[in-house]
Amino acid sequence: KTIEFTGALHATVVKQVRLKNPSSKTLMYNAILAGRDADDFSLPKGNTVTIAPKRQTSINVEFTSRFLHPAEAVLLLISKCVGGIDGATLTFSLKSEVKHIEPADILKCKSPCYEL
């Protein structure tokens, strides 16, 4: 699954990933961001995710664009063994696109175009 982050340059975009636990045991995951631009993505609520039995939870993934080129990373959710049950390892592709640029400031300058 690919999660796309679109926004302005230097803006922070937040996306939610919903995780469901269909089993009757608690699942725990360790979340890892990996890849070329992993530093531009973050998990504000921490790297550990716990999902109660027969419940669902959401994790927030934040992206702040620093450059115009598209950023790419991978979100890995690696299961921790709890009570003898392991969940499947989950992977999500994270991609960004800068749609517009907001000027930080406007400067007016006067200068002669040509002097002898």
Side-chain angles (χ1 to χ4, degrees):
K1 174 111 179 151
T2 299
I3 302 168
E4 295 184 8
F5 296 80
T6 11
L9 184 64
H10 301 296
T12 298
V13 180
V14 180
K15 292 285 184 160
Q16 284 191 332
V17 178
R18 182 175 295 148
L19 304 170
K20 294 180 182 179
N21 179 3
S23 75
S24 58
K25 303 274 186 174
T26 299
L27 291 177
M28 282 187 78
Y29 285 97
N30 227 2
I32 299 170
L33 293 165
R36 180 186 72 189
D37 302 306
D39 291 341
D40 295 332
F41 295 89
S42 66
L43 301 164
K45 293 183 180 176
N47 293 356
T48 303
V49 181
T50 304
I51 313 168
K54 306 283 184 193
R55 302 296 289 241
Q56 63 184 13
T57 189
S58 295
I59 59 171
N60 291 340
V61 181
E62 286 186 359
F63 169 74
T64 303
S65 60
R66 299 183 299 146
F67 304 106
L68 287 175
H69 70 79
E72 294 181 4
V74 174
L75 170 63
L76 286 169
L77 293 163
I78 301 169
S79 177
K80 291 180 176 180
C81 188
V82 177
I85 189 166
D86 270 340
T89 297
L90 305 172
T91 59
F92 297 91
S93 176
L94 309 176
K95 296 189 178 194
S96 76
E97 185 179 0
V98 174
K99 286 287 191 183
H100 59 282
I101 301 169
E102 299 281 333
D105 201 3
I106 297 174
L107 301 174
K108 291 185 180 185
C109 299
K110 271 192 169 185
S111 175
C113 291
Y114 175 76
E115 283 187 32
L116 287 176

